[in-house]
Amino acid sequence: MRFLSPRPGARRLFRTRAVPALLLAATAATALSSVPALAAGPDFQYVGQDDRVHGLTAPRGCVGAEGGGGRAVTNNTPATATFYREPGCSGRVVQVLRPGAVAQVKPYFASVRFAVTG
């Protein structure tokens, strides 16, 4: 039985292109498998009047809005978020945001109460 040897140019191609391509594909697959862990972030986020992004993970009850909320809000909690004008979840209700919703809360809010809905 006679074995065919690859052409000399084919060996060079394998050494220079195929191996790095395989390593790149393996690295990309490994990196992509860790993306969900990296993508996981706060359940509740808002841009404050201080122009900083603030985030809370698993918020419960009444929470003060550090930096004074007044811009975009993302509610990825399982709870309804009720926004209040005053600290301590008192004063006028500014807006109510359902779970999974994104909105602009204007003019501003100082606190948020999270209540799980039915």
Side-chain angles (χ1 to χ4, degrees):
M1 183 183 260
R2 181 174 175 223
F3 293 99
L4 298 174
S5 68
R7 295 178 307 196
R11 284 186 184 159
R12 191 171 345 126
L13 178 65
F14 180 75
R15 274 185 265 147
T16 59
R17 292 192 183 128
V19 171
L22 290 173
L23 289 174
L24 181 62
T27 302
T30 302
L32 288 176
S33 68
S34 65
V35 167
L38 295 175
D43 299 322
F44 180 78
Q45 285 186 324
Y46 65 93
V47 178
Q49 292 176 332
D50 59 0
D51 290 328
R52 294 179 54 195
V53 177
H54 299 272
L56 301 168
T57 302
R60 294 174 184 233
C62 182
V63 178
E66 187 178 319
R71 308 248 171 96
V73 176
T74 302
N75 182 17
N76 284 326
T77 71
T80 298
T82 304
F83 300 88
Y84 293 87
R85 178 75 48 101
E86 302 300 325
C89 296
S90 62
R92 185 171 159 249
V93 172
V94 179
Q95 190 167 338
V96 176
L97 200 59
R98 292 190 307 195
V102 177
Q104 293 258 341
V105 178
K106 291 188 175 186
Y108 68 90
F109 61 95
S111 55
V112 186
R113 178 171 304 282
F114 294 92
V116 177
T117 54

